[in-house]
Amino acid sequence: MPSSTTKISTPQHASTDASQAVRDKLRQFVADRDWAQFHTPKNLASALTVEAAELLEIFQWLPTGKPEELNEQARIAVRHEMADVMNYLIMLADTLDVDLFAACQEKIALNALKYPAPLVKGDARKYSEYEK
């Protein structure tokens, strides 16, 4: 496991044009409704969690949750809930000035250190359960 002082090199601004376009549309949507006053990090994180739970609810009683178990209506619902999750995540990142793509790259690099492929391949245990 990396120490708290491990430095992971990531690009400073790895966001794509598409993510910036979505962020800009969300900014305009919020501004048009004067909702920024409600979009504190706590409220956005709460809304994100609620939307993630709504996504999970679609899969709740499926035997395995594999894609073939979803009918067309469920697939549409999944797509919409995924969009809600992403939109709230983008708004939270925007509020906290976090470059999501750089953060993702950093986290992938950290996870590669915590879960070296030769040690964990085919095994889903948490990193702390592996022998050092």
Side-chain angles (χ1 to χ4, degrees), residues 53-86:
E54 290 177 6
L55 175 61
L56 178 59
E57 184 178 30
I58 298 164
F59 296 94
Q60 184 174 10
W61 300 113
L62 298 179
T64 66
K66 291 181 180 176
E68 57 270 14
E69 295 175 0
L70 298 171
N71 62 29
E72 186 59 27
Q73 182 180 353
R75 287 178 183 275
I76 292 169
V78 165
R79 189 169 67 242
H80 291 169
E81 295 305 336
M82 289 172 67
D84 286 340
V85 167
M86 186 158 180

PDB file of all heavy atoms in Angstrom, residues 53-86:
ATOM      1  N   ALA A  53     -28.261   5.411  -5.332  1.00  0.00           N
ATOM      2  CA  ALA A  53     -29.187   4.438  -4.748  1.00  0.00           C
ATOM      3  C   ALA A  53     -30.336   4.144  -5.713  1.00  0.00           C
ATOM      4  O   ALA A  53     -30.785   2.994  -5.819  1.00  0.00           O
ATOM      5  CB  ALA A  53     -29.726   4.956  -3.417  1.00  0.00           C
ATOM      6  N   GLU A  54     -30.809   5.166  -6.427  1.00  0.00           N
ATOM      7  CA  GLU A  54     -31.870   4.942  -7.414  1.00  0.00           C
ATOM      8  C   GLU A  54     -31.370   4.056  -8.554  1.00  0.00           C
ATOM      9  O   GLU A  54     -32.121   3.222  -9.079  1.00  0.00           O
ATOM     10  CB  GLU A  54     -32.393   6.273  -7.936  1.00  0.00           C
ATOM     11  CG  GLU A  54     -33.197   7.032  -6.881  1.00  0.00           C
ATOM     12  CD  GLU A  54     -33.665   8.397  -7.349  1.00  0.00           C
ATOM     13  OE1 GLU A  54     -33.475   8.761  -8.535  1.00  0.00           O
ATOM     14  OE2 GLU A  54     -34.234   9.122  -6.503  1.00  0.00           O
ATOM     15  N   LEU A  55     -30.118   4.201  -8.926  1.00  0.00           N
ATOM     16  CA  LEU A  55     -29.521   3.320  -9.924  1.00  0.00           C
ATOM     17  C   LEU A  55     -29.476   1.885  -9.405  1.00  0.00           C
ATOM     18  O   LEU A  55     -29.864   0.940 -10.095  1.00  0.00           O
ATOM     19  CB  LEU A  55     -28.118   3.819 -10.285  1.00  0.00           C
ATOM     20  CG  LEU A  55     -27.288   2.953 -11.220  1.00  0.00           C
ATOM     21  CD1 LEU A  55     -27.973   2.781 -12.574  1.00  0.00           C
ATOM     22  CD2 LEU A  55     -25.901   3.563 -11.381  1.00  0.00           C
ATOM     23  N   LEU A  56     -29.034   1.708  -8.192  1.00  0.00           N
ATOM     24  CA  LEU A  56     -28.964   0.378  -7.592  1.00  0.00           C
ATOM     25  C   LEU A  56     -30.336  -0.268  -7.479  1.00  0.00           C
ATOM     26  O   LEU A  56     -30.484  -1.479  -7.671  1.00  0.00           O
ATOM     27  CB  LEU A  56     -28.307   0.465  -6.209  1.00  0.00           C
ATOM     28  CG  LEU A  56     -28.186  -0.826  -5.415  1.00  0.00           C
ATOM     29  CD1 LEU A  56     -27.375  -1.869  -6.178  1.00  0.00           C
ATOM     30  CD2 LEU A  56     -27.566  -0.538  -4.063  1.00  0.00           C
ATOM     31  N   GLU A  57     -31.352   0.532  -7.205  1.00  0.00           N
ATOM     32  CA  GLU A  57     -32.704   0.006  -7.027  1.00  0.00           C
ATOM     33  C   GLU A  57     -33.185  -0.756  -8.269  1.00  0.00           C
ATOM     34  O   GLU A  57     -33.907  -1.749  -8.151  1.00  0.00           O
ATOM     35  CB  GLU A  57     -33.653   1.160  -6.723  1.00  0.00           C
ATOM     36  CG  GLU A  57     -35.072   0.719  -6.427  1.00  0.00           C
ATOM     37  CD  GLU A  57     -35.979   1.888  -6.087  1.00  0.00           C
ATOM     38  OE1 GLU A  57     -35.739   3.003  -6.590  1.00  0.00           O
ATOM     39  OE2 GLU A  57     -36.936   1.663  -5.322  1.00  0.00           O
ATOM     40  N   ILE A  58     -32.773  -0.321  -9.435  1.00  0.00           N
ATOM     41  CA  ILE A  58     -33.171  -0.991 -10.678  1.00  0.00           C
ATOM     42  C   ILE A  58     -32.685  -2.437 -10.697  1.00  0.00           C
ATOM     43  O   ILE A  58     -33.356  -3.326 -11.219  1.00  0.00           O
ATOM     44  CB  ILE A  58     -32.641  -0.212 -11.900  1.00  0.00           C
ATOM     45  CG1 ILE A  58     -33.252   1.186 -11.921  1.00  0.00           C
ATOM     46  CG2 ILE A  58     -32.910  -0.962 -13.200  1.00  0.00           C
ATOM     47  CD1 ILE A  58     -32.522   2.169 -12.836  1.00  0.00           C
ATOM     48  N   PHE A  59     -31.543  -2.699 -10.104  1.00  0.00           N
ATOM     49  CA  PHE A  59     -30.934  -4.029 -10.099  1.00  0.00           C
ATOM     50  C   PHE A  59     -31.309  -4.863  -8.868  1.00  0.00           C
ATOM     51  O   PHE A  59     -30.989  -6.042  -8.810  1.00  0.00           O
ATOM     52  CB  PHE A  59     -29.409  -3.903 -10.156  1.00  0.00           C
ATOM     53  CG  PHE A  59     -28.894  -3.284 -11.415  1.00  0.00           C
ATOM     54  CD1 PHE A  59     -28.649  -1.927 -11.489  1.00  0.00           C
ATOM     55  CD2 PHE A  59     -28.661  -4.061 -12.542  1.00  0.00           C
ATOM     56  CE1 PHE A  59     -28.173  -1.353 -12.655  1.00  0.00           C
ATOM     57  CE2 PHE A  59     -28.187  -3.504 -13.712  1.00  0.00           C
ATOM     58  CZ  PHE A  59     -27.944  -2.144 -13.767  1.00  0.00           C
ATOM     59  N   GLN A  60     -31.970  -4.239  -7.916  1.00  0.00           N
ATOM     60  CA  GLN A  60     -32.160  -4.825  -6.587  1.00  0.00           C
ATOM     61  C   GLN A  60     -32.675  -6.258  -6.594  1.00  0.00           C
ATOM     62  O   GLN A  60     -32.140  -7.104  -5.893  1.00  0.00           O
ATOM     63  CB  GLN A  60     -33.091  -3.948  -5.770  1.00  0.00           C
ATOM     64  CG  GLN A  60     -33.267  -4.425  -4.352  1.00  0.00           C
ATOM     65  CD  GLN A  60     -34.091  -3.451  -3.535  1.00  0.00           C
ATOM     66  OE1 GLN A  60     -34.689  -2.514  -4.049  1.00  0.00           O
ATOM     67  NE2 GLN A  60     -34.096  -3.660  -2.227  1.00  0.00           N
ATOM     68  N   TRP A  61     -33.694  -6.577  -7.336  1.00  0.00           N
ATOM     69  CA  TRP A  61     -34.290  -7.906  -7.248  1.00  0.00           C
ATOM     70  C   TRP A  61     -34.010  -8.773  -8.466  1.00  0.00           C
ATOM     71  O   TRP A  61     -34.631  -9.816  -8.638  1.00  0.00           O
ATOM     72  CB  TRP A  61     -35.795  -7.795  -7.001  1.00  0.00           C
ATOM     73  CG  TRP A  61     -36.069  -7.058  -5.730  1.00  0.00           C
ATOM     74  CD1 TRP A  61     -36.654  -5.834  -5.621  1.00  0.00           C
ATOM     75  CD2 TRP A  61     -35.724  -7.459  -4.406  1.00  0.00           C
ATOM     76  NE1 TRP A  61     -36.711  -5.445  -4.303  1.00  0.00           N
ATOM     77  CE2 TRP A  61     -36.144  -6.431  -3.531  1.00  0.00           C
ATOM     78  CE3 TRP A  61     -35.096  -8.576  -3.860  1.00  0.00           C
ATOM     79  CZ2 TRP A  61     -35.962  -6.504  -2.159  1.00  0.00           C
ATOM     80  CZ3 TRP A  61     -34.931  -8.637  -2.476  1.00  0.00           C
ATOM     81  CH2 TRP A  61     -35.354  -7.614  -1.647  1.00  0.00           C
ATOM     82  N   LEU A  62     -33.060  -8.376  -9.287  1.00  0.00           N
ATOM     83  CA  LEU A  62     -32.680  -9.214 -10.415  1.00  0.00           C
ATOM     84  C   LEU A  62     -31.847 -10.385  -9.909  1.00  0.00           C
ATOM     85  O   LEU A  62     -31.082 -10.240  -8.943  1.00  0.00           O
ATOM     86  CB  LEU A  62     -31.882  -8.407 -11.438  1.00  0.00           C
ATOM     87  CG  LEU A  62     -32.616  -7.227 -12.088  1.00  0.00           C
ATOM     88  CD1 LEU A  62     -31.693  -6.507 -13.058  1.00  0.00           C
ATOM     89  CD2 LEU A  62     -33.880  -7.689 -12.783  1.00  0.00           C
ATOM     90  N   PRO A  63     -31.950 -11.531 -10.548  1.00  0.00           N
ATOM     91  CA  PRO A  63     -31.188 -12.701 -10.068  1.00  0.00           C
ATOM     92  C   PRO A  63     -29.681 -12.453 -10.009  1.00  0.00           C
ATOM     93  O   PRO A  63     -29.036 -12.795  -9.017  1.00  0.00           O
ATOM     94  CB  PRO A  63     -31.522 -13.795 -11.089  1.00  0.00           C
ATOM     95  CG  PRO A  63     -32.846 -13.388 -11.659  1.00  0.00           C
ATOM     96  CD  PRO A  63     -32.852 -11.883 -11.646  1.00  0.00           C
ATOM     97  N   THR A  64     -29.105 -11.867 -11.040  1.00  0.00           N
ATOM     98  CA  THR A  64     -27.657 -11.613 -11.053  1.00  0.00           C
ATOM     99  C   THR A  64     -27.314 -10.170 -11.381  1.00  0.00           C
ATOM    100  O   THR A  64     -26.218  -9.718 -11.090  1.00  0.00           O
ATOM    101  CB  THR A  64     -26.941 -12.508 -12.089  1.00  0.00           C
ATOM    102  OG1 THR A  64     -27.377 -12.126 -13.396  1.00  0.00           O
ATOM    103  CG2 THR A  64     -27.220 -13.977 -11.837  1.00  0.00           C
ATOM    104  N   GLY A  65     -28.226  -9.463 -12.021  1.00  0.00           N
ATOM    105  CA  GLY A  65     -27.963  -8.093 -12.434  1.00  0.00           C
ATOM    106  C   GLY A  65     -27.210  -7.989 -13.741  1.00  0.00           C
ATOM    107  O   GLY A  65     -26.690  -6.931 -14.083  1.00  0.00           O
ATOM    108  N   LYS A  66     -27.145  -9.080 -14.480  1.00  0.00           N
ATOM    109  CA  LYS A  66     -26.463  -9.060 -15.780  1.00  0.00           C
ATOM    110  C   LYS A  66     -27.303  -8.280 -16.788  1.00  0.00           C
ATOM    111  O   LYS A  66     -28.529  -8.210 -16.663  1.00  0.00           O
ATOM    112  CB  LYS A  66     -26.213 -10.486 -16.270  1.00  0.00           C
ATOM    113  CG  LYS A  66     -25.186 -11.220 -15.427  1.00  0.00           C
ATOM    114  CD  LYS A  66     -24.950 -12.617 -15.948  1.00  0.00           C
ATOM    115  CE  LYS A  66     -23.909 -13.318 -15.085  1.00  0.00           C
ATOM    116  NZ  LYS A  66     -23.715 -14.712 -15.509  1.00  0.00           N
ATOM    117  N   PRO A  67     -26.651  -7.702 -17.795  1.00  0.00           N
ATOM    118  CA  PRO A  67     -27.364  -6.857 -18.766  1.00  0.00           C
ATOM    119  C   PRO A  67     -28.577  -7.524 -19.415  1.00  0.00           C
ATOM    120  O   PRO A  67     -29.593  -6.867 -19.641  1.00  0.00           O
ATOM    121  CB  PRO A  67     -26.299  -6.531 -19.813  1.00  0.00           C
ATOM    122  CG  PRO A  67     -25.012  -6.668 -19.101  1.00  0.00           C
ATOM    123  CD  PRO A  67     -25.221  -7.751 -18.074  1.00  0.00           C
ATOM    124  N   GLU A  68     -28.494  -8.816 -19.685  1.00  0.00           N
ATOM    125  CA  GLU A  68     -29.598  -9.491 -20.373  1.00  0.00           C
ATOM    126  C   GLU A  68     -30.861  -9.586 -19.514  1.00  0.00           C
ATOM    127  O   GLU A  68     -31.941  -9.918 -20.015  1.00  0.00           O
ATOM    128  CB  GLU A  68     -29.176 -10.878 -20.879  1.00  0.00           C
ATOM    129  CG  GLU A  68     -28.645 -11.811 -19.829  1.00  0.00           C
ATOM    130  CD  GLU A  68     -27.128 -11.733 -19.619  1.00  0.00           C
ATOM    131  OE1 GLU A  68     -26.486 -10.768 -20.102  1.00  0.00           O
ATOM    132  OE2 GLU A  68     -26.595 -12.627 -18.962  1.00  0.00           O
ATOM    133  N   GLU A  69     -30.757  -9.283 -18.236  1.00  0.00           N
ATOM    134  CA  GLU A  69     -31.931  -9.293 -17.356  1.00  0.00           C
ATOM    135  C   GLU A  69     -32.707  -7.980 -17.408  1.00  0.00           C
ATOM    136  O   GLU A  69     -33.779  -7.872 -16.815  1.00  0.00           O
ATOM    137  CB  GLU A  69     -31.512  -9.594 -15.918  1.00  0.00           C
ATOM    138  CG  GLU A  69     -30.944 -10.983 -15.742  1.00  0.00           C
ATOM    139  CD  GLU A  69     -30.418 -11.227 -14.348  1.00  0.00           C
ATOM    140  OE1 GLU A  69     -30.480 -10.327 -13.484  1.00  0.00           O
ATOM    141  OE2 GLU A  69     -29.920 -12.333 -14.102  1.00  0.00           O
ATOM    142  N   LEU A  70     -32.169  -6.983 -18.100  1.00  0.00           N
ATOM    143  CA  LEU A  70     -32.813  -5.673 -18.177  1.00  0.00           C
ATOM    144  C   LEU A  70     -33.673  -5.582 -19.434  1.00  0.00           C
ATOM    145  O   LEU A  70     -33.183  -5.792 -20.543  1.00  0.00           O
ATOM    146  CB  LEU A  70     -31.754  -4.563 -18.216  1.00  0.00           C
ATOM    147  CG  LEU A  70     -30.848  -4.451 -16.992  1.00  0.00           C
ATOM    148  CD1 LEU A  70     -29.729  -3.474 -17.270  1.00  0.00           C
ATOM    149  CD2 LEU A  70     -31.646  -4.030 -15.768  1.00  0.00           C
ATOM    150  N   ASN A  71     -34.956  -5.230 -19.259  1.00  0.00           N
ATOM    151  CA  ASN A  71     -35.791  -4.961 -20.420  1.00  0.00           C
ATOM    152  C   ASN A  71     -35.517  -3.535 -20.907  1.00  0.00           C
ATOM    153  O   ASN A  71     -34.728  -2.800 -20.293  1.00  0.00           O
ATOM    154  CB  ASN A  71     -37.277  -5.190 -20.102  1.00  0.00           C
ATOM    155  CG  ASN A  71     -37.790  -4.259 -19.014  1.00  0.00           C
ATOM    156  OD1 ASN A  71     -37.311  -3.138 -18.830  1.00  0.00           O
ATOM    157  ND2 ASN A  71     -38.781  -4.741 -18.272  1.00  0.00           N
ATOM    158  N   GLU A  72     -36.152  -3.147 -21.985  1.00  0.00           N
ATOM    159  CA  GLU A  72     -35.883  -1.831 -22.581  1.00  0.00           C
ATOM    160  C   GLU A  72     -36.195  -0.696 -21.608  1.00  0.00           C
ATOM    161  O   GLU A  72     -35.438   0.264 -21.499  1.00  0.00           O
ATOM    162  CB  GLU A  72     -36.677  -1.656 -23.884  1.00  0.00           C
ATOM    163  CG  GLU A  72     -36.338  -0.372 -24.625  1.00  0.00           C
ATOM    164  CD  GLU A  72     -34.872  -0.234 -25.015  1.00  0.00           C
ATOM    165  OE1 GLU A  72     -34.180  -1.257 -25.196  1.00  0.00           O
ATOM    166  OE2 GLU A  72     -34.400   0.918 -25.150  1.00  0.00           O
ATOM    167  N   GLN A  73     -37.286  -0.809 -20.885  1.00  0.00           N
ATOM    168  CA  GLN A  73     -37.652   0.223 -19.908  1.00  0.00           C
ATOM    169  C   GLN A  73     -36.589   0.341 -18.817  1.00  0.00           C
ATOM    170  O   GLN A  73     -36.208   1.444 -18.418  1.00  0.00           O
ATOM    171  CB  GLN A  73     -39.013  -0.098 -19.298  1.00  0.00           C
ATOM    172  CG  GLN A  73     -39.502   0.933 -18.318  1.00  0.00           C
ATOM    173  CD  GLN A  73     -40.858   0.578 -17.724  1.00  0.00           C
ATOM    174  OE1 GLN A  73     -41.499  -0.386 -18.130  1.00  0.00           O
ATOM    175  NE2 GLN A  73     -41.296   1.360 -16.761  1.00  0.00           N
ATOM    176  N   ALA A  74     -36.092  -0.797 -18.351  1.00  0.00           N
ATOM    177  CA  ALA A  74     -35.050  -0.786 -17.316  1.00  0.00           C
ATOM    178  C   ALA A  74     -33.745  -0.206 -17.858  1.00  0.00           C
ATOM    179  O   ALA A  74     -33.043   0.519 -17.150  1.00  0.00           O
ATOM    180  CB  ALA A  74     -34.820  -2.193 -16.775  1.00  0.00           C
ATOM    181  N   ARG A  75     -33.420  -0.509 -19.103  1.00  0.00           N
ATOM    182  CA  ARG A  75     -32.200   0.048 -19.707  1.00  0.00           C
ATOM    183  C   ARG A  75     -32.272   1.572 -19.805  1.00  0.00           C
ATOM    184  O   ARG A  75     -31.290   2.267 -19.549  1.00  0.00           O
ATOM    185  CB  ARG A  75     -31.954  -0.553 -21.085  1.00  0.00           C
ATOM    186  CG  ARG A  75     -31.469  -1.986 -21.031  1.00  0.00           C
ATOM    187  CD  ARG A  75     -31.294  -2.563 -22.437  1.00  0.00           C
ATOM    188  NE  ARG A  75     -30.889  -3.941 -22.372  1.00  0.00           N
ATOM    189  CZ  ARG A  75     -29.625  -4.351 -22.240  1.00  0.00           C
ATOM    190  NH1 ARG A  75     -28.655  -3.476 -22.187  1.00  0.00           N
ATOM    191  NH2 ARG A  75     -29.344  -5.626 -22.176  1.00  0.00           N
ATOM    192  N   ILE A  76     -33.447   2.075 -20.152  1.00  0.00           N
ATOM    193  CA  ILE A  76     -33.633   3.528 -20.212  1.00  0.00           C
ATOM    194  C   ILE A  76     -33.489   4.122 -18.814  1.00  0.00           C
ATOM    195  O   ILE A  76     -32.811   5.141 -18.622  1.00  0.00           O
ATOM    196  CB  ILE A  76     -34.995   3.878 -20.838  1.00  0.00           C
ATOM    197  CG1 ILE A  76     -35.000   3.504 -22.323  1.00  0.00           C
ATOM    198  CG2 ILE A  76     -35.328   5.355 -20.640  1.00  0.00           C
ATOM    199  CD1 ILE A  76     -36.371   3.554 -22.976  1.00  0.00           C
ATOM    200  N   ALA A  77     -34.101   3.474 -17.815  1.00  0.00           N
ATOM    201  CA  ALA A  77     -34.003   3.951 -16.435  1.00  0.00           C
ATOM    202  C   ALA A  77     -32.556   3.943 -15.958  1.00  0.00           C
ATOM    203  O   ALA A  77     -32.099   4.900 -15.307  1.00  0.00           O
ATOM    204  CB  ALA A  77     -34.882   3.101 -15.519  1.00  0.00           C
ATOM    205  N   VAL A  78     -31.813   2.895 -16.288  1.00  0.00           N
ATOM    206  CA  VAL A  78     -30.393   2.817 -15.916  1.00  0.00           C
ATOM    207  C   VAL A  78     -29.632   3.979 -16.547  1.00  0.00           C
ATOM    208  O   VAL A  78     -28.849   4.664 -15.878  1.00  0.00           O
ATOM    209  CB  VAL A  78     -29.783   1.458 -16.340  1.00  0.00           C
ATOM    210  CG1 VAL A  78     -28.258   1.501 -16.304  1.00  0.00           C
ATOM    211  CG2 VAL A  78     -30.297   0.343 -15.441  1.00  0.00           C
ATOM    212  N   ARG A  79     -29.864   4.201 -17.820  1.00  0.00           N
ATOM    213  CA  ARG A  79     -29.176   5.289 -18.520  1.00  0.00           C
ATOM    214  C   ARG A  79     -29.474   6.640 -17.865  1.00  0.00           C
ATOM    215  O   ARG A  79     -28.563   7.450 -17.639  1.00  0.00           O
ATOM    216  CB  ARG A  79     -29.594   5.288 -19.989  1.00  0.00           C
ATOM    217  CG  ARG A  79     -28.783   6.225 -20.845  1.00  0.00           C
ATOM    218  CD  ARG A  79     -29.011   6.037 -22.331  1.00  0.00           C
ATOM    219  NE  ARG A  79     -30.360   6.419 -22.739  1.00  0.00           N
ATOM    220  CZ  ARG A  79     -31.256   5.589 -23.271  1.00  0.00           C
ATOM    221  NH1 ARG A  79     -30.974   4.307 -23.456  1.00  0.00           N
ATOM    222  NH2 ARG A  79     -32.445   6.023 -23.625  1.00  0.00           N
ATOM    223  N   HIS A  80     -30.734   6.880 -17.506  1.00  0.00           N
ATOM    224  CA  HIS A  80     -31.096   8.157 -16.886  1.00  0.00           C
ATOM    225  C   HIS A  80     -30.508   8.306 -15.488  1.00  0.00           C
ATOM    226  O   HIS A  80     -30.040   9.395 -15.120  1.00  0.00           O
ATOM    227  CB  HIS A  80     -32.616   8.313 -16.863  1.00  0.00           C
ATOM    228  CG  HIS A  80     -33.207   8.514 -18.218  1.00  0.00           C
ATOM    229  ND1 HIS A  80     -34.555   8.468 -18.463  1.00  0.00           N
ATOM    230  CD2 HIS A  80     -32.632   8.774 -19.424  1.00  0.00           C
ATOM    231  CE1 HIS A  80     -34.786   8.675 -19.741  1.00  0.00           C
ATOM    232  NE2 HIS A  80     -33.625   8.861 -20.347  1.00  0.00           N
ATOM    233  N   GLU A  81     -30.529   7.236 -14.721  1.00  0.00           N
ATOM    234  CA  GLU A  81     -29.940   7.313 -13.369  1.00  0.00           C
ATOM    235  C   GLU A  81     -28.419   7.484 -13.441  1.00  0.00           C
ATOM    236  O   GLU A  81     -27.841   8.222 -12.637  1.00  0.00           O
ATOM    237  CB  GLU A  81     -30.313   6.088 -12.532  1.00  0.00           C
ATOM    238  CG  GLU A  81     -31.796   5.964 -12.228  1.00  0.00           C
ATOM    239  CD  GLU A  81     -32.415   7.177 -11.556  1.00  0.00           C
ATOM    240  OE1 GLU A  81     -31.702   7.968 -10.899  1.00  0.00           O
ATOM    241  OE2 GLU A  81     -33.645   7.336 -11.668  1.00  0.00           O
ATOM    242  N   MET A  82     -27.794   6.820 -14.397  1.00  0.00           N
ATOM    243  CA  MET A  82     -26.346   7.013 -14.581  1.00  0.00           C
ATOM    244  C   MET A  82     -26.045   8.470 -14.932  1.00  0.00           C
ATOM    245  O   MET A  82     -25.072   9.055 -14.421  1.00  0.00           O
ATOM    246  CB  MET A  82     -25.825   6.082 -15.673  1.00  0.00           C
ATOM    247  CG  MET A  82     -25.792   4.626 -15.251  1.00  0.00           C
ATOM    248  SD  MET A  82     -25.410   3.489 -16.607  1.00  0.00           S
ATOM    249  CE  MET A  82     -23.722   3.934 -16.961  1.00  0.00           C
ATOM    250  N   ALA A  83     -26.881   9.065 -15.763  1.00  0.00           N
ATOM    251  CA  ALA A  83     -26.692  10.471 -16.121  1.00  0.00           C
ATOM    252  C   ALA A  83     -26.861  11.363 -14.896  1.00  0.00           C
ATOM    253  O   ALA A  83     -26.083  12.314 -14.702  1.00  0.00           O
ATOM    254  CB  ALA A  83     -27.680  10.869 -17.219  1.00  0.00           C
ATOM    255  N   ASP A  84     -27.863  11.073 -14.067  1.00  0.00           N
ATOM    256  CA  ASP A  84     -28.044  11.855 -12.839  1.00  0.00           C
ATOM    257  C   ASP A  84     -26.815  11.767 -11.946  1.00  0.00           C
ATOM    258  O   ASP A  84     -26.342  12.775 -11.411  1.00  0.00           O
ATOM    259  CB  ASP A  84     -29.271  11.371 -12.062  1.00  0.00           C
ATOM    260  CG  ASP A  84     -30.590  11.777 -12.698  1.00  0.00           C
ATOM    261  OD1 ASP A  84     -30.605  12.727 -13.511  1.00  0.00           O
ATOM    262  OD2 ASP A  84     -31.615  11.138 -12.369  1.00  0.00           O
ATOM    263  N   VAL A  85     -26.284  10.558 -11.784  1.00  0.00           N
ATOM    264  CA  VAL A  85     -25.083  10.368 -10.962  1.00  0.00           C
ATOM    265  C   VAL A  85     -23.929  11.187 -11.532  1.00  0.00           C
ATOM    266  O   VAL A  85     -23.245  11.921 -10.806  1.00  0.00           O
ATOM    267  CB  VAL A  85     -24.706   8.869 -10.870  1.00  0.00           C
ATOM    268  CG1 VAL A  85     -23.313   8.682 -10.289  1.00  0.00           C
ATOM    269  CG2 VAL A  85     -25.739   8.108 -10.049  1.00  0.00           C
ATOM    270  N   MET A  86     -23.723  11.072 -12.834  1.00  0.00           N
ATOM    271  CA  MET A  86     -22.610  11.795 -13.460  1.00  0.00           C
ATOM    272  C   MET A  86     -22.806  13.304 -13.373  1.00  0.00           C
ATOM    273  O   MET A  86     -21.852  14.040 -13.092  1.00  0.00           O
ATOM    274  CB  MET A  86     -22.433  11.356 -14.903  1.00  0.00           C
ATOM    275  CG  MET A  86     -21.214  11.963 -15.549  1.00  0.00           C
ATOM    276  SD  MET A  86     -20.708  10.969 -16.935  1.00  0.00           S
ATOM    277  CE  MET A  86     -19.297  11.888 -17.463  1.00  0.00           C
TER     278      MET A  86
END
